[in-house]
Amino acid sequence: NQVDEILQKTPGVVDDFSGIVHSNPESVVTINTRRAQRYGLTTDEITQAAQAALQGAVPTSVQQGEEAVGVRVQIAHPGEALNQSLLPNIPIASPVTGGDIPLSEVATIAHKPGPPQITREDQRQMIAVTASLSGRDLGSATADIQSRIRRHLSLPSGYSIEYGGLYASQQQSFSELGMTLLIAMLFVFTLLVVQFRSIREATALLLAAILSLFGVMLALTITGTPLNISSFTGSIMIVGIITENGIVLFDYFNRLREKNPL
């Protein structure tokens, strides 16, 4: 609930949901074994009798064509729906008295709210607090949420927060694209060394390509464009373009130097 309150106060966050799902109210029947023994009843017998009265029992079946259809027998409640007041009066057959006794005679009945729905992930209980964004990019909104949670929320021992959904997918994509960029730069550097037969020239070209990323970040900042999958892919393309242009310039420079040696 505290995390959900933080989401509500974050600009651009809409349609938040705390993730807590409460079940319907339930009635808990606790059998008093001492009273049950006085009436010659066991816990299992009382449980079976109560379940048969509430849910019915299937003592036999009838044949309809090739299919056997079960016959469900259920206690009759003429004109009365099943409710909390009806539960204590469910009749239980007693071998001692030779008649029926109400369920409340051998059990206590408590009515309480049902437990919340429990969700697990990797064998750990979890609650997914979700929200949508309106008029704001995913990266800045998530960074704002993370900052607010660090400032205003102190987690008890054994609790942790993980950021998933589109943010997790974005971070995974960035990681994969970053690894692709590093591998591509390694292959490019190897090809440059083979082509120019000079580690110095290959290093200069690679540094020029890396320094071009500062221009990319400056352009994104000036235009207010968020760093997303599209802009990250464009950055990789810029590195390739700068490297290609550098190869042409170095090749032209080497040809001029061969014609006009110093």
Side-chain angles (χ1 to χ4, degrees):
N1 287 328
Q2 293 176 2
V3 172
D4 187 45
E5 290 178 1
I6 292 175
L7 292 181
Q8 293 176 3
K9 299 177 181 178
T10 304
V13 176
V14 296
D15 300 331
D16 60 285
F17 175 55
S18 66
I20 301 176
V21 180
H22 293 282
S23 59
N24 294 327
E26 61 184 17
S27 299
V28 180
V29 179
T30 305
I31 298 174
N32 188 320
T33 54
R34 290 185 178 179
R35 288 187 179 181
Q37 290 174 359
R38 294 176 185 173
Y39 291 98
L41 297 170
T42 64
T43 301
D44 290 338
E45 290 172 344
I46 296 174
T47 302
Q48 292 174 7
Q51 289 179 344
L54 294 173
Q55 303 172 2
V58 185
T60 185
S61 60
V62 294
Q63 198 74 19
Q64 291 186 352
E66 298 181 356
E67 182 180 1
V69 179
V71 177
R72 181 172 295 275
V73 180
Q74 189 174 3
I75 190 171
H77 307 295
E80 185 178 6
L82 182 62
N83 52 42
Q84 294 182 358
S85 61
L86 183 64
L87 189 60
N89 297 319
I90 290 178
I92 307 293
S94 169
V96 174
T97 62
D100 295 336
I101 59 172
L103 179 61
S104 59
E105 185 68 23
V106 292
T108 56
I109 303 170
H111 307 286
K112 61 181 183 179
Q117 178 180 333
I118 297 177
T119 305
R120 295 181 182 274
E121 186 174 279
D122 296 332
Q123 303 301 319
R124 295 182 62 192
Q125 292 188 16
M126 61 87 70
I127 294 179
V129 184
T130 59
S132 301
L133 293 177
S134 177
R136 193 172 184 185
D137 64 276
L138 178 62
S140 64
T142 305
D144 192 6
I145 292 172
Q146 291 174 336
S147 176
R148 290 169 180 260
I149 288 178
R150 283 194 298 266
R151 292 198 311 266
H152 303 295
L153 184 64
S154 178
L155 292 177
S157 176
Y159 286 76
S160 63
I161 293 180
E162 297 180 5
Y163 297 90
L166 292 178
Y167 174 76
S169 301
Q170 183 191 63
Q171 295 303 305
Q172 182 180 0
S173 299
F174 279 171
S175 176
E176 293 174 353
L177 286 174
M179 183 62 65
T180 301
L181 178 61
L182 291 177
I183 294 175
M185 293 175 66
L186 178 61
F187 277 111
V188 168
F189 181 75
T190 304
L191 291 175
L192 291 175
V193 172
V194 173
Q195 179 176 354
F196 292 108
R197 298 179 182 178
S198 171
I199 295 180
R200 184 175 62 179
E201 293 182 1
T203 303
L205 278 173
L206 193 62
L207 287 176
I210 295 175
L211 290 175
S212 68
L213 295 177
F214 289 98
V216 172
M217 300 303 298
L218 179 62
L220 292 176
T221 303
I222 293 175
T223 58
T225 304
L227 181 62
N228 50 32
I229 303 300
S230 299
S231 56
F232 202 119
T233 305
S235 301
I236 297 178
M237 295 176 63
I238 288 294
V239 171
I241 294 172
I242 295 297
T243 304
E244 182 181 6
N245 184 60
I247 291 174
V248 174
L249 291 177
F250 263 93
D251 184 65
Y252 181 65
F253 171 76
N254 289 333
R255 289 184 181 182
L256 291 179
R257 187 169 58 179
E258 289 176 359
K259 292 181 180 180
N260 303 292
L262 296 177

